[in-house]
Short mmCIF file of all heavy atoms in Angstrom, two decimals:
data_model
loop_
_atom_site.label_atom_id
_atom_site.label_comp_id
_atom_site.label_asym_id
_atom_site.label_seq_id
_atom_site.Cartn_x
_atom_site.Cartn_y
_atom_site.Cartn_z
N ARG A 122 -19.44 16.93 -9.68
CA ARG A 122 -20.64 16.20 -10.19
C ARG A 122 -20.72 15.99 -11.61
O ARG A 122 -21.65 15.46 -12.12
CB ARG A 122 -22.02 16.85 -9.76
CG ARG A 122 -22.24 16.97 -8.37
CD ARG A 122 -23.66 17.34 -8.06
NE ARG A 122 -23.87 17.57 -6.49
CZ ARG A 122 -25.00 17.83 -6.17
NH1 ARG A 122 -26.12 17.93 -6.91
NH2 ARG A 122 -25.20 18.04 -4.83
N THR A 633 -28.50 31.60 7.68
CA THR A 633 -28.54 30.57 6.70
C THR A 633 -27.40 29.59 6.78
O THR A 633 -27.60 28.37 6.82
CB THR A 633 -28.57 31.26 5.30
OG1 THR A 633 -29.65 32.14 5.22
CG2 THR A 633 -28.78 30.08 4.22
N LEU A 637 -28.23 25.73 7.98
CA LEU A 637 -28.11 24.69 6.96
C LEU A 637 -26.78 24.01 7.07
O LEU A 637 -26.60 23.12 6.24
CB LEU A 637 -28.35 25.37 5.62
CG LEU A 637 -29.61 26.11 5.35
CD1 LEU A 637 -29.65 26.54 3.88
CD2 LEU A 637 -30.79 25.34 5.67
N ALA A 638 -25.94 24.52 7.96
CA ALA A 638 -24.55 23.95 7.98
C ALA A 638 -23.90 23.99 6.62
O ALA A 638 -23.30 23.02 6.16
CB ALA A 638 -24.64 22.52 8.48
N VAL A 639 -23.96 25.18 6.05
CA VAL A 639 -23.38 25.33 4.69
C VAL A 639 -22.47 26.55 4.74
O VAL A 639 -22.97 27.68 5.04
CB VAL A 639 -24.44 25.65 3.56
CG1 VAL A 639 -23.74 25.85 2.30
CG2 VAL A 639 -25.35 24.45 3.48
N ASP A 640 -21.25 26.40 4.50
CA ASP A 640 -20.22 27.46 4.55
C ASP A 640 -20.64 28.52 3.49
O ASP A 640 -20.75 28.25 2.33
CB ASP A 640 -18.85 26.89 4.16
CG ASP A 640 -17.74 27.85 4.21
OD1 ASP A 640 -17.98 29.06 4.18
OD2 ASP A 640 -16.49 27.36 4.28
N ASN A 643 -18.08 28.86 0.43
CA ASN A 643 -17.56 27.76 -0.31
C ASN A 643 -18.33 27.52 -1.51
O ASN A 643 -19.50 27.11 -1.55
CB ASN A 643 -17.67 26.46 0.65
CG ASN A 643 -16.96 25.16 0.06
OD1 ASN A 643 -16.74 25.21 -1.19
ND2 ASN A 643 -16.82 24.26 0.93
N PRO A 644 -17.71 27.71 -2.73
CA PRO A 644 -18.38 27.50 -3.98
C PRO A 644 -18.95 26.14 -4.12
O PRO A 644 -19.95 25.95 -4.87
CB PRO A 644 -17.40 27.94 -5.05
CG PRO A 644 -16.01 27.85 -4.36
CD PRO A 644 -16.36 28.07 -2.89
N ARG A 645 -18.37 25.17 -3.60
CA ARG A 645 -18.79 23.79 -3.78
C ARG A 645 -20.20 23.54 -3.29
O ARG A 645 -20.95 22.73 -3.80
CB ARG A 645 -17.87 22.75 -3.02
CG ARG A 645 -16.63 22.57 -3.68
CD ARG A 645 -16.17 21.13 -3.47
NE ARG A 645 -14.88 21.09 -4.13
CZ ARG A 645 -13.85 20.36 -3.62
NH1 ARG A 645 -14.03 19.65 -2.66
NH2 ARG A 645 -12.80 20.35 -4.35
N VAL A 646 -20.50 24.28 -2.22
CA VAL A 646 -21.90 24.10 -1.59
C VAL A 646 -22.75 25.31 -1.89
O VAL A 646 -23.81 25.37 -1.31
CB VAL A 646 -21.71 23.77 -0.16
CG1 VAL A 646 -21.22 22.32 0.06
CG2 VAL A 646 -20.85 24.75 0.60
N ALA A 647 -22.31 26.13 -2.81
CA ALA A 647 -23.09 27.38 -3.09
C ALA A 647 -24.49 27.10 -3.53
O ALA A 647 -25.41 27.81 -3.22
CB ALA A 647 -22.38 28.21 -4.13
N ASP A 648 -24.62 25.96 -4.23
CA ASP A 648 -25.96 25.54 -4.72
C ASP A 648 -26.96 25.30 -3.63
O ASP A 648 -28.15 25.43 -3.86
CB ASP A 648 -25.83 24.24 -5.54
CG ASP A 648 -25.75 24.49 -6.90
OD1 ASP A 648 -25.60 25.66 -7.27
OD2 ASP A 648 -25.66 23.55 -7.65
N ILE A 649 -26.47 24.88 -2.50
CA ILE A 649 -27.38 24.49 -1.30
C ILE A 649 -27.46 25.61 -0.31
O ILE A 649 -28.07 25.40 0.73
CB ILE A 649 -27.16 23.16 -0.72
CG1 ILE A 649 -25.62 22.97 -0.38
CG2 ILE A 649 -27.52 22.06 -1.73
CD1 ILE A 649 -25.34 21.68 0.45
N TYR A 650 -26.70 26.71 -0.56
CA TYR A 650 -26.84 27.81 0.41
C TYR A 650 -27.93 28.72 -0.16
O TYR A 650 -27.91 29.23 -1.23
CB TYR A 650 -25.50 28.62 0.31
CG TYR A 650 -25.60 29.84 1.32
CD1 TYR A 650 -25.06 29.80 2.62
CD2 TYR A 650 -26.24 30.97 0.82
CE1 TYR A 650 -25.04 31.00 3.35
CE2 TYR A 650 -26.32 32.11 1.64
CZ TYR A 650 -25.67 32.12 2.98
OH TYR A 650 -25.81 33.11 3.72
N ASP A 651 -29.04 28.74 0.55
CA ASP A 651 -30.17 29.61 0.01
C ASP A 651 -30.96 30.02 1.20
O ASP A 651 -31.54 29.30 2.02
CB ASP A 651 -31.07 28.69 -0.87
CG ASP A 651 -32.03 29.60 -1.78
OD1 ASP A 651 -32.29 30.73 -1.23
OD2 ASP A 651 -32.40 29.20 -2.78
N SER A 652 -31.14 31.41 1.39
CA SER A 652 -31.76 31.99 2.41
C SER A 652 -33.30 31.79 2.33
O SER A 652 -34.09 32.09 3.21
CB SER A 652 -31.47 33.47 2.60
OG SER A 652 -30.09 33.63 2.89
N HIS A 654 -34.52 28.83 1.93
CA HIS A 654 -34.71 27.47 2.35
C HIS A 654 -35.87 27.51 3.32
O HIS A 654 -36.00 28.34 4.18
CB HIS A 654 -33.42 26.96 2.91
CG HIS A 654 -33.41 25.47 3.30
ND1 HIS A 654 -34.18 25.00 4.36
CD2 HIS A 654 -32.78 24.47 2.68
CE1 HIS A 654 -34.01 23.70 4.37
NE2 HIS A 654 -33.20 23.36 3.41
N PRO A 734 -36.20 25.05 -1.77
CA PRO A 734 -36.02 26.55 -1.94
C PRO A 734 -36.21 26.96 -3.39
O PRO A 734 -36.64 28.05 -3.66
CB PRO A 734 -34.50 26.67 -1.61
CG PRO A 734 -34.09 25.40 -1.00
CD PRO A 734 -35.09 24.38 -1.19
N LYS A 735 -35.89 26.07 -4.34
CA LYS A 735 -36.01 26.53 -5.76
C LYS A 735 -37.51 26.66 -6.11
O LYS A 735 -37.89 27.54 -6.85
CB LYS A 735 -35.35 25.48 -6.66
CG LYS A 735 -33.84 25.56 -6.62
CD LYS A 735 -33.14 24.82 -7.71
CE LYS A 735 -31.65 25.00 -7.63
NZ LYS A 735 -31.00 24.29 -6.38
#
Side-chain angles (χ1 to χ4, degrees):
R122 296 194 186 184
T633 305
L637 306 184
V639 177
D640 182 343
N643 184 345
R645 284 213 182 145
V646 286
D648 263 5
I649 50 173
Y650 178 103
D651 195 336
S652 297
H654 188 286
K735 289 193 178 67

